[in-house]
Amino acid sequence: METAGGAVSQCKRGSSFRLRSPSLNSVRLRRIFDVFDKNNDSIITVDELSQALALLGLQADLSQLERMVEAYVQPGNHGIRYEDFEALHRSLNDAFFGMTDDVQVVDEQQREESDLCEAFKVFDEDGDGYISARELQAVLGKLGLQEGREMDRVEMMISSVDQNNDGRVDFFEFKDMMRSVIVPSS
């Protein structure tokens, strides 16, 4: 039997440049695009991109940046739209993190485990390896769900998946719940 301490070690907290969950990655990428798009015209110009990179402490040669981005600028545009930005990101992601001959392919089970860890971390705000009723309530509230306003409903949600009856959800309980709800894609 795995302990709660095992739950923490199974789902390590740490920073990662990219998430393996496509939906979480998409949200993060959209936020980055919106930050880069200073004038909110839904297009990032080379100047905006250069300024954003400079704020991140990354100095880029403007002419090199123009050459890199121009392949993603659609005819008639003066910069890249979000869809173009996604394509640029995929290209950079493949270049920096893509599969090479000397890199083994991560098997699907490890990828699923990693995705579940990322999802678990969204709820486990204090990083203690458990989702408490308070943490669940906070996330539901941020999502604007009415269930987040009523602690008794939140506690019922916790107890419905709390297999060891400790009043909170550990990673293994969360994983069991998610696997029973999510139909694997083929």
Side-chain angles (χ1 to χ4, degrees):
M1 183 170 155
E2 294 171 324
T3 64
V8 176
S9 67
Q10 286 291 323
C11 189
K12 292 180 174 56
R13 297 189 68 80
S15 61
S16 76
F17 177 74
R18 68 177 176 152
L19 298 173
R20 288 186 179 94
S21 171
S23 59
L24 292 176
N25 237 356
S26 180
V27 169
R28 178 183 278 181
L29 192 60
R30 184 66 208 204
R31 287 184 182 155
I32 292 169
F33 180 88
D34 291 342
V35 168
F36 285 11
D37 182 18
K38 291 292 184 197
N39 63 356
N40 297 317
D41 66 351
S42 299
I43 289 181
I44 299 175
T45 64
V46 172
D47 287 334
E48 287 173 322
L49 187 56
S50 177
Q51 290 170 10
L53 292 173
L55 288 172
L56 294 171
L58 303 169
Q59 298 302 320
D61 179 80
L62 198 55
S63 62
Q64 286 180 329
L65 195 55
E66 284 174 344
R67 281 193 303 274
M68 181 181 75
V69 171
E70 75 182 14
Y72 296 93
V73 176
Q74 298 299 314
N77 287 343
H78 61 281
I80 54 178
R81 298 168 304 144
Y82 178 70
E83 296 78 18
D84 309 325
F85 186 68
E86 281 182 311
L88 174 62
H89 176 262
R90 274 192 306 277
S91 174
L92 292 172
N93 196 36
D94 290 346
F96 289 107
F97 301 105
M99 299 298 170
T100 60
D101 294 336
D102 61 341
V103 177
Q104 292 184 339
V105 177
V106 177
D107 78 5
E108 191 59 37
Q109 192 173 23
Q110 287 175 325
R111 178 165 284 139
E112 177 185 324
E113 187 88 5
S114 178
D115 290 348
L116 288 171
C117 280
E118 293 292 341
F120 183 82
K121 290 175 192 176
V122 169
F123 292 92
D124 181 19
E125 292 184 326
D126 64 8
D128 68 352
Y130 300 98
I131 301 170
S132 67
R134 184 201 55 75
E135 288 172 318
L136 179 58
Q137 184 179 34
V139 172
L140 293 174
K142 288 175 187 174
L143 294 172
L145 299 174
Q146 185 168 347
E147 290 87 347
R149 296 187 192 116
E150 302 171 27
M151 183 53 90
D152 57 332
R153 288 184 74 181
V154 172
E155 289 171 346
M156 280 180 24
M157 295 168 96
I158 292 284
S159 67
S160 71
V161 296
D162 180 15
Q163 297 169 3
N164 63 1
N165 297 317
D166 66 353
R168 54 195 182 170
V169 176
D170 63 34
F171 178 65
F172 300 104
E173 293 165 333
F174 178 80
K175 186 166 57 170
D176 288 343
M177 183 224 22
M178 292 302 286
R179 286 184 173 151
S180 69
V181 176
I182 296 174
V183 177
S185 60
S186 50

mmCIF file of all heavy atoms in Angstrom, residues 65-104:
data_model
loop_
_atom_site.group_PDB
_atom_site.id
_atom_site.type_symbol
_atom_site.label_atom_id
_atom_site.label_comp_id
_atom_site.label_asym_id
_atom_site.label_seq_id
_atom_site.Cartn_x
_atom_site.Cartn_y
_atom_site.Cartn_z
ATOM 1 N N LEU A 65 15.715 38.071 -35.434
ATOM 2 C CA LEU A 65 14.348 37.853 -34.984
ATOM 3 C C LEU A 65 13.373 38.025 -36.147
ATOM 4 O O LEU A 65 12.457 37.219 -36.320
ATOM 5 C CB LEU A 65 14.021 38.827 -33.844
ATOM 6 C CG LEU A 65 12.810 38.559 -32.992
ATOM 7 C CD1 LEU A 65 12.855 37.167 -32.377
ATOM 8 C CD2 LEU A 65 12.691 39.601 -31.897
ATOM 9 N N GLU A 66 13.595 39.052 -36.951
ATOM 10 C CA GLU A 66 12.745 39.277 -38.135
ATOM 11 C C GLU A 66 12.795 38.083 -39.083
ATOM 12 O O GLU A 66 11.768 37.624 -39.578
ATOM 13 C CB GLU A 66 13.175 40.551 -38.874
ATOM 14 C CG GLU A 66 12.744 41.820 -38.198
ATOM 15 C CD GLU A 66 13.305 43.067 -38.874
ATOM 16 O OE1 GLU A 66 14.261 42.966 -39.688
ATOM 17 O OE2 GLU A 66 12.789 44.151 -38.563
ATOM 18 N N ARG A 67 14.009 37.568 -39.334
ATOM 19 C CA ARG A 67 14.151 36.423 -40.236
ATOM 20 C C ARG A 67 13.445 35.193 -39.675
ATOM 21 O O ARG A 67 12.814 34.434 -40.410
ATOM 22 C CB ARG A 67 15.624 36.113 -40.489
ATOM 23 C CG ARG A 67 16.249 37.046 -41.505
ATOM 24 C CD ARG A 67 17.615 36.541 -41.981
ATOM 25 N NE ARG A 67 18.580 36.322 -40.919
ATOM 26 C CZ ARG A 67 19.384 37.254 -40.400
ATOM 27 N NH1 ARG A 67 19.342 38.482 -40.881
ATOM 28 N NH2 ARG A 67 20.242 36.968 -39.451
ATOM 29 N N MET A 68 13.552 34.984 -38.372
ATOM 30 C CA MET A 68 12.928 33.823 -37.753
ATOM 31 C C MET A 68 11.402 33.926 -37.824
ATOM 32 O O MET A 68 10.718 32.954 -38.127
ATOM 33 C CB MET A 68 13.362 33.696 -36.295
ATOM 34 C CG MET A 68 12.780 32.489 -35.594
ATOM 35 S SD MET A 68 13.277 32.378 -33.872
ATOM 36 C CE MET A 68 12.272 33.640 -33.131
ATOM 37 N N VAL A 69 10.866 35.099 -37.576
ATOM 38 C CA VAL A 69 9.420 35.292 -37.498
ATOM 39 C C VAL A 69 8.772 35.407 -38.875
ATOM 40 O O VAL A 69 7.629 34.989 -39.061
ATOM 41 C CB VAL A 69 9.103 36.534 -36.620
ATOM 42 C CG1 VAL A 69 7.648 36.902 -36.680
ATOM 43 C CG2 VAL A 69 9.525 36.280 -35.186
ATOM 44 N N GLU A 70 9.497 35.924 -39.859
ATOM 45 C CA GLU A 70 8.874 36.191 -41.161
ATOM 46 C C GLU A 70 8.276 34.944 -41.805
ATOM 47 O O GLU A 70 7.290 35.038 -42.534
ATOM 48 C CB GLU A 70 9.840 36.881 -42.114
ATOM 49 C CG GLU A 70 10.896 36.005 -42.716
ATOM 50 C CD GLU A 70 11.858 36.770 -43.620
ATOM 51 O OE1 GLU A 70 11.878 38.013 -43.597
ATOM 52 O OE2 GLU A 70 12.583 36.097 -44.356
ATOM 53 N N ALA A 71 8.807 33.789 -41.522
ATOM 54 C CA ALA A 71 8.258 32.553 -42.089
ATOM 55 C C ALA A 71 6.868 32.247 -41.526
ATOM 56 O O ALA A 71 6.111 31.488 -42.135
ATOM 57 C CB ALA A 71 9.192 31.386 -41.808
ATOM 58 N N TYR A 72 6.526 32.860 -40.402
ATOM 59 C CA TYR A 72 5.241 32.593 -39.756
ATOM 60 C C TYR A 72 4.225 33.709 -39.961
ATOM 61 O O TYR A 72 3.073 33.572 -39.573
ATOM 62 C CB TYR A 72 5.454 32.339 -38.256
ATOM 63 C CG TYR A 72 6.275 31.095 -38.038
ATOM 64 C CD1 TYR A 72 7.654 31.157 -37.913
ATOM 65 C CD2 TYR A 72 5.661 29.851 -37.998
ATOM 66 C CE1 TYR A 72 8.406 30.006 -37.741
ATOM 67 C CE2 TYR A 72 6.413 28.693 -37.825
ATOM 68 C CZ TYR A 72 7.785 28.785 -37.711
ATOM 69 O OH TYR A 72 8.521 27.650 -37.552
ATOM 70 N N VAL A 73 4.657 34.819 -40.547
ATOM 71 C CA VAL A 73 3.750 35.933 -40.800
ATOM 72 C C VAL A 73 2.972 35.642 -42.079
ATOM 73 O O VAL A 73 3.556 35.372 -43.125
ATOM 74 C CB VAL A 73 4.526 37.264 -40.929
ATOM 75 C CG1 VAL A 73 3.588 38.399 -41.298
ATOM 76 C CG2 VAL A 73 5.255 37.576 -39.632
ATOM 77 N N GLN A 74 1.662 35.676 -41.969
ATOM 78 C CA GLN A 74 0.798 35.418 -43.125
ATOM 79 C C GLN A 74 0.798 36.633 -44.049
ATOM 80 O O GLN A 74 0.916 37.776 -43.592
ATOM 81 C CB GLN A 74 -0.637 35.123 -42.654
ATOM 82 C CG GLN A 74 -0.752 33.890 -41.783
ATOM 83 C CD GLN A 74 -0.309 32.631 -42.509
ATOM 84 O OE1 GLN A 74 -0.678 32.403 -43.646
ATOM 85 N NE2 GLN A 74 0.506 31.822 -41.839
ATOM 86 N N PRO A 75 0.672 36.400 -45.358
ATOM 87 C CA PRO A 75 0.648 37.521 -46.315
ATOM 88 C C PRO A 75 -0.405 38.566 -45.939
ATOM 89 O O PRO A 75 -1.525 38.230 -45.557
ATOM 90 C CB PRO A 75 0.275 36.834 -47.644
ATOM 91 C CG PRO A 75 0.694 35.407 -47.477
ATOM 92 C CD PRO A 75 0.513 35.104 -46.002
ATOM 93 N N GLY A 76 -0.001 39.820 -46.016
ATOM 94 C CA GLY A 76 -0.900 40.920 -45.696
ATOM 95 C C GLY A 76 -0.856 41.335 -44.225
ATOM 96 O O GLY A 76 -1.410 42.363 -43.860
ATOM 97 N N ASN A 77 -0.220 40.545 -43.362
ATOM 98 C CA ASN A 77 -0.113 40.897 -41.938
ATOM 99 C C ASN A 77 1.234 41.562 -41.665
ATOM 100 O O ASN A 77 2.206 41.328 -42.375
ATOM 101 C CB ASN A 77 -0.250 39.651 -41.060
ATOM 102 C CG ASN A 77 -1.668 39.127 -41.008
ATOM 103 O OD1 ASN A 77 -2.610 39.828 -41.353
ATOM 104 N ND2 ASN A 77 -1.825 37.883 -40.596
ATOM 105 N N HIS A 78 1.272 42.348 -40.610
ATOM 106 C CA HIS A 78 2.512 43.012 -40.209
ATOM 107 C C HIS A 78 3.132 42.343 -38.978
ATOM 108 O O HIS A 78 4.065 42.863 -38.387
ATOM 109 C CB HIS A 78 2.272 44.509 -39.959
ATOM 110 C CG HIS A 78 1.297 44.792 -38.859
ATOM 111 N ND1 HIS A 78 -0.063 44.709 -39.041
ATOM 112 C CD2 HIS A 78 1.496 45.140 -37.572
ATOM 113 C CE1 HIS A 78 -0.664 45.010 -37.892
ATOM 114 N NE2 HIS A 78 0.258 45.268 -36.997
ATOM 115 N N GLY A 79 2.594 41.200 -38.606
ATOM 116 C CA GLY A 79 3.099 40.446 -37.466
ATOM 117 C C GLY A 79 2.440 39.077 -37.434
ATOM 118 O O GLY A 79 1.772 38.679 -38.393
ATOM 119 N N ILE A 80 2.614 38.375 -36.322
ATOM 120 C CA ILE A 80 2.046 37.033 -36.233
ATOM 121 C C ILE A 80 0.772 37.016 -35.389
ATOM 122 O O ILE A 80 0.705 37.634 -34.334
ATOM 123 C CB ILE A 80 3.069 36.005 -35.690
ATOM 124 C CG1 ILE A 80 3.680 36.436 -34.364
ATOM 125 C CG2 ILE A 80 4.159 35.737 -36.686
ATOM 126 C CD1 ILE A 80 4.648 35.432 -33.777
ATOM 127 N N ARG A 81 -0.230 36.314 -35.913
ATOM 128 C CA ARG A 81 -1.484 36.106 -35.194
ATOM 129 C C ARG A 81 -1.271 34.963 -34.208
ATOM 130 O O ARG A 81 -0.243 34.298 -34.238
ATOM 131 C CB ARG A 81 -2.611 35.746 -36.162
ATOM 132 C CG ARG A 81 -2.929 36.822 -37.178
ATOM 133 C CD ARG A 81 -3.840 36.312 -38.270
ATOM 134 N NE ARG A 81 -3.190 35.143 -38.888
ATOM 135 C CZ ARG A 81 -3.835 34.062 -39.328
ATOM 136 N NH1 ARG A 81 -5.123 33.990 -39.272
ATOM 137 N NH2 ARG A 81 -3.172 33.059 -39.856
ATOM 138 N N TYR A 82 -2.244 34.710 -33.372
ATOM 139 C CA TYR A 82 -2.112 33.643 -32.375
ATOM 140 C C TYR A 82 -1.839 32.296 -33.044
ATOM 141 O O TYR A 82 -0.983 31.543 -32.596
ATOM 142 C CB TYR A 82 -3.358 33.561 -31.479
ATOM 143 C CG TYR A 82 -3.243 32.423 -30.490
ATOM 144 C CD1 TYR A 82 -2.328 32.487 -29.442
ATOM 145 C CD2 TYR A 82 -4.009 31.272 -30.627
ATOM 146 C CE1 TYR A 82 -2.177 31.440 -28.559
ATOM 147 C CE2 TYR A 82 -3.869 30.224 -29.742
ATOM 148 C CZ TYR A 82 -2.950 30.308 -28.706
ATOM 149 O OH TYR A 82 -2.811 29.262 -27.830
ATOM 150 N N GLU A 83 -2.546 32.002 -34.136
ATOM 151 C CA GLU A 83 -2.356 30.723 -34.832
ATOM 152 C C GLU A 83 -0.927 30.604 -35.352
ATOM 153 O O GLU A 83 -0.332 29.531 -35.312
ATOM 154 C CB GLU A 83 -3.351 30.581 -35.991
ATOM 155 C CG GLU A 83 -4.805 30.525 -35.558
ATOM 156 C CD GLU A 83 -5.398 31.897 -35.196
ATOM 157 O OE1 GLU A 83 -4.838 32.953 -35.580
ATOM 158 O OE2 GLU A 83 -6.430 31.901 -34.494
ATOM 159 N N ASP A 84 -0.372 31.716 -35.827
ATOM 160 C CA ASP A 84 1.016 31.728 -36.303
ATOM 161 C C ASP A 84 1.973 31.528 -35.125
ATOM 162 O O ASP A 84 2.988 30.848 -35.239
ATOM 163 C CB ASP A 84 1.341 33.057 -37.000
ATOM 164 C CG ASP A 84 0.323 33.436 -38.071
ATOM 165 O OD1 ASP A 84 -0.201 32.529 -38.748
ATOM 166 O OD2 ASP A 84 0.045 34.646 -38.207
ATOM 167 N N PHE A 85 1.629 32.149 -33.999
ATOM 168 C CA PHE A 85 2.433 32.040 -32.781
ATOM 169 C C PHE A 85 2.463 30.588 -32.304
ATOM 170 O O PHE A 85 3.512 30.090 -31.885
ATOM 171 C CB PHE A 85 1.843 32.969 -31.705
ATOM 172 C CG PHE A 85 2.661 33.070 -30.453
ATOM 173 C CD1 PHE A 85 3.900 33.691 -30.459
ATOM 174 C CD2 PHE A 85 2.173 32.588 -29.250
ATOM 175 C CE1 PHE A 85 4.651 33.816 -29.290
ATOM 176 C CE2 PHE A 85 2.903 32.700 -28.081
ATOM 177 C CZ PHE A 85 4.145 33.318 -28.098
ATOM 178 N N GLU A 86 1.318 29.904 -32.388
ATOM 179 C CA GLU A 86 1.277 28.477 -32.035
ATOM 180 C C GLU A 86 2.214 27.669 -32.923
ATOM 181 O O GLU A 86 2.943 26.803 -32.435
ATOM 182 C CB GLU A 86 -0.141 27.916 -32.198
ATOM 183 C CG GLU A 86 -1.083 28.235 -31.084
ATOM 184 C CD GLU A 86 -2.448 27.598 -31.307
ATOM 185 O OE1 GLU A 86 -3.007 27.748 -32.424
ATOM 186 O OE2 GLU A 86 -2.946 26.957 -30.383
ATOM 187 N N ALA A 87 2.198 27.948 -34.215
ATOM 188 C CA ALA A 87 3.069 27.232 -35.154
ATOM 189 C C ALA A 87 4.539 27.512 -34.837
ATOM 190 O O ALA A 87 5.371 26.593 -34.846
ATOM 191 C CB ALA A 87 2.742 27.627 -36.586
ATOM 192 N N LEU A 88 4.863 28.754 -34.527
ATOM 193 C CA LEU A 88 6.228 29.119 -34.147
ATOM 194 C C LEU A 88 6.629 28.379 -32.876
ATOM 195 O O LEU A 88 7.720 27.816 -32.781
ATOM 196 C CB LEU A 88 6.338 30.634 -33.958
ATOM 197 C CG LEU A 88 7.663 31.170 -33.418
ATOM 198 C CD1 LEU A 88 8.812 30.848 -34.370
ATOM 199 C CD2 LEU A 88 7.563 32.678 -33.186
ATOM 200 N N HIS A 89 5.744 28.359 -31.914
ATOM 201 C CA HIS A 89 6.013 27.663 -30.649
ATOM 202 C C HIS A 89 6.253 26.177 -30.899
ATOM 203 O O HIS A 89 7.178 25.594 -30.353
ATOM 204 C CB HIS A 89 4.840 27.859 -29.682
ATOM 205 C CG HIS A 89 4.995 27.101 -28.408
ATOM 206 N ND1 HIS A 89 4.394 25.886 -28.201
ATOM 207 C CD2 HIS A 89 5.696 27.378 -27.286
ATOM 208 C CE1 HIS A 89 4.714 25.441 -27.007
ATOM 209 N NE2 HIS A 89 5.497 26.321 -26.434
ATOM 210 N N ARG A 90 5.399 25.547 -31.727
ATOM 211 C CA ARG A 90 5.585 24.119 -32.035
ATOM 212 C C ARG A 90 6.943 23.885 -32.678
ATOM 213 O O ARG A 90 7.639 22.926 -32.360
ATOM 214 C CB ARG A 90 4.470 23.617 -32.953
ATOM 215 C CG ARG A 90 3.234 23.176 -32.226
ATOM 216 C CD ARG A 90 2.272 22.414 -33.129
ATOM 217 N NE ARG A 90 1.897 23.118 -34.347
ATOM 218 C CZ ARG A 90 0.943 24.023 -34.432
ATOM 219 N NH1 ARG A 90 0.237 24.348 -33.368
ATOM 220 N NH2 ARG A 90 0.667 24.610 -35.581
ATOM 221 N N SER A 91 7.325 24.774 -33.575
ATOM 222 C CA SER A 91 8.605 24.646 -34.256
ATOM 223 C C SER A 91 9.763 24.748 -33.264
ATOM 224 O O SER A 91 10.697 23.942 -33.289
ATOM 225 C CB SER A 91 8.731 25.724 -35.328
ATOM 226 O OG SER A 91 9.996 25.712 -35.899
ATOM 227 N N LEU A 92 9.708 25.747 -32.385
ATOM 228 C CA LEU A 92 10.750 25.896 -31.365
ATOM 229 C C LEU A 92 10.730 24.734 -30.389
ATOM 230 O O LEU A 92 11.781 24.234 -29.983
ATOM 231 C CB LEU A 92 10.567 27.219 -30.611
ATOM 232 C CG LEU A 92 10.820 28.486 -31.410
ATOM 233 C CD1 LEU A 92 10.409 29.715 -30.605
ATOM 234 C CD2 LEU A 92 12.272 28.571 -31.840
ATOM 235 N N ASN A 93 9.530 24.301 -30.021
ATOM 236 C CA ASN A 93 9.393 23.177 -29.104
ATOM 237 C C ASN A 93 10.030 21.919 -29.702
ATOM 238 O O ASN A 93 10.759 21.197 -29.032
ATOM 239 C CB ASN A 93 7.907 22.942 -28.800
ATOM 240 C CG ASN A 93 7.689 22.072 -27.590
ATOM 241 O OD1 ASN A 93 8.432 22.156 -26.621
ATOM 242 N ND2 ASN A 93 6.672 21.247 -27.648
ATOM 243 N N ASP A 94 9.756 21.668 -30.987
ATOM 244 C CA ASP A 94 10.344 20.509 -31.654
ATOM 245 C C ASP A 94 11.863 20.634 -31.732
ATOM 246 O O ASP A 94 12.584 19.661 -31.532
ATOM 247 C CB ASP A 94 9.767 20.337 -33.062
ATOM 248 C CG ASP A 94 8.314 19.900 -33.046
ATOM 249 O OD1 ASP A 94 7.822 19.473 -31.976
ATOM 250 O OD2 ASP A 94 7.657 20.003 -34.101
ATOM 251 N N ALA A 95 12.343 21.849 -32.002
ATOM 252 C CA ALA A 95 13.784 22.058 -32.122
ATOM 253 C C ALA A 95 14.495 21.845 -30.791
ATOM 254 O O ALA A 95 15.576 21.265 -30.737
ATOM 255 C CB ALA A 95 14.067 23.460 -32.648
ATOM 256 N N PHE A 96 13.884 22.322 -29.697
ATOM 257 C CA PHE A 96 14.544 22.234 -28.404
ATOM 258 C C PHE A 96 14.193 20.978 -27.613
ATOM 259 O O PHE A 96 14.997 20.487 -26.842
ATOM 260 C CB PHE A 96 14.224 23.468 -27.547
ATOM 261 C CG PHE A 96 14.895 24.708 -28.050
ATOM 262 C CD1 PHE A 96 14.147 25.691 -28.674
ATOM 263 C CD2 PHE A 96 16.253 24.889 -27.936
ATOM 264 C CE1 PHE A 96 14.750 26.843 -29.156
ATOM 265 C CE2 PHE A 96 16.866 26.025 -28.417
ATOM 266 C CZ PHE A 96 16.115 27.007 -29.029
ATOM 267 N N PHE A 97 12.958 20.471 -27.783
ATOM 268 C CA PHE A 97 12.508 19.356 -26.954
ATOM 269 C C PHE A 97 12.069 18.151 -27.773
ATOM 270 O O PHE A 97 11.616 17.165 -27.223
ATOM 271 C CB PHE A 97 11.321 19.788 -26.071
ATOM 272 C CG PHE A 97 11.656 20.927 -25.165
ATOM 273 C CD1 PHE A 97 11.180 22.201 -25.450
ATOM 274 C CD2 PHE A 97 12.451 20.737 -24.063
ATOM 275 C CE1 PHE A 97 11.494 23.263 -24.628
ATOM 276 C CE2 PHE A 97 12.769 21.800 -23.242
ATOM 277 C CZ PHE A 97 12.291 23.062 -23.516
ATOM 278 N N GLY A 98 12.166 18.247 -29.089
ATOM 279 C CA GLY A 98 11.688 17.180 -29.955
ATOM 280 C C GLY A 98 12.476 15.902 -29.798
ATOM 281 O O GLY A 98 13.524 15.849 -29.163
ATOM 282 N N MET A 99 11.947 14.870 -30.404
ATOM 283 C CA MET A 99 12.584 13.571 -30.332
ATOM 284 C C MET A 99 13.793 13.539 -31.252
ATOM 285 O O MET A 99 13.746 14.002 -32.377
ATOM 286 C CB MET A 99 11.608 12.468 -30.752
ATOM 287 C CG MET A 99 10.391 12.369 -29.887
ATOM 288 S SD MET A 99 10.884 11.977 -28.208
ATOM 289 C CE MET A 99 9.346 12.219 -27.374
ATOM 290 N N THR A 100 14.878 13.004 -30.762
ATOM 291 C CA THR A 100 16.055 12.763 -31.570
ATOM 292 C C THR A 100 16.397 11.297 -31.454
ATOM 293 O O THR A 100 15.824 10.581 -30.643
ATOM 294 C CB THR A 100 17.248 13.613 -31.089
ATOM 295 O OG1 THR A 100 17.534 13.262 -29.739
ATOM 296 C CG2 THR A 100 16.957 15.101 -31.191
ATOM 297 N N ASP A 101 17.354 10.853 -32.247
ATOM 298 C CA ASP A 101 17.713 9.438 -32.244
ATOM 299 C C ASP A 101 18.179 8.954 -30.880
ATOM 300 O O ASP A 101 17.961 7.800 -30.512
ATOM 301 C CB ASP A 101 18.807 9.163 -33.277
ATOM 302 C CG ASP A 101 18.299 9.391 -34.688
ATOM 303 O OD1 ASP A 101 17.072 9.315 -34.905
ATOM 304 O OD2 ASP A 101 19.134 9.641 -35.566
ATOM 305 N N ASP A 102 18.829 9.816 -30.105
ATOM 306 C CA ASP A 102 19.367 9.367 -28.830
ATOM 307 C C ASP A 102 18.417 9.599 -27.649
ATOM 308 O O ASP A 102 18.774 9.387 -26.505
ATOM 309 C CB ASP A 102 20.717 10.024 -28.555
ATOM 310 C CG ASP A 102 20.617 11.536 -28.486
ATOM 311 O OD1 ASP A 102 19.625 12.088 -28.998
ATOM 312 O OD2 ASP A 102 21.538 12.160 -27.926
ATOM 313 N N VAL A 103 17.204 10.035 -27.935
ATOM 314 C CA VAL A 103 16.217 10.251 -26.880
ATOM 315 C C VAL A 103 15.152 9.158 -26.969
ATOM 316 O O VAL A 103 14.568 8.947 -28.018
ATOM 317 C CB VAL A 103 15.540 11.635 -27.020
ATOM 318 C CG1 VAL A 103 14.472 11.821 -25.969
ATOM 319 C CG2 VAL A 103 16.562 12.733 -26.930
ATOM 320 N N GLN A 104 14.911 8.478 -25.858
ATOM 321 C CA GLN A 104 13.874 7.449 -25.869
ATOM 322 C C GLN A 104 12.502 8.097 -25.809
ATOM 323 O O GLN A 104 12.303 9.137 -25.201
ATOM 324 C CB GLN A 104 14.031 6.525 -24.664
ATOM 325 C CG GLN A 104 15.264 5.678 -24.719
ATOM 326 C CD GLN A 104 15.306 4.720 -23.540
ATOM 327 O OE1 GLN A 104 14.664 4.935 -22.537
ATOM 328 N NE2 GLN A 104 16.069 3.666 -23.699
#
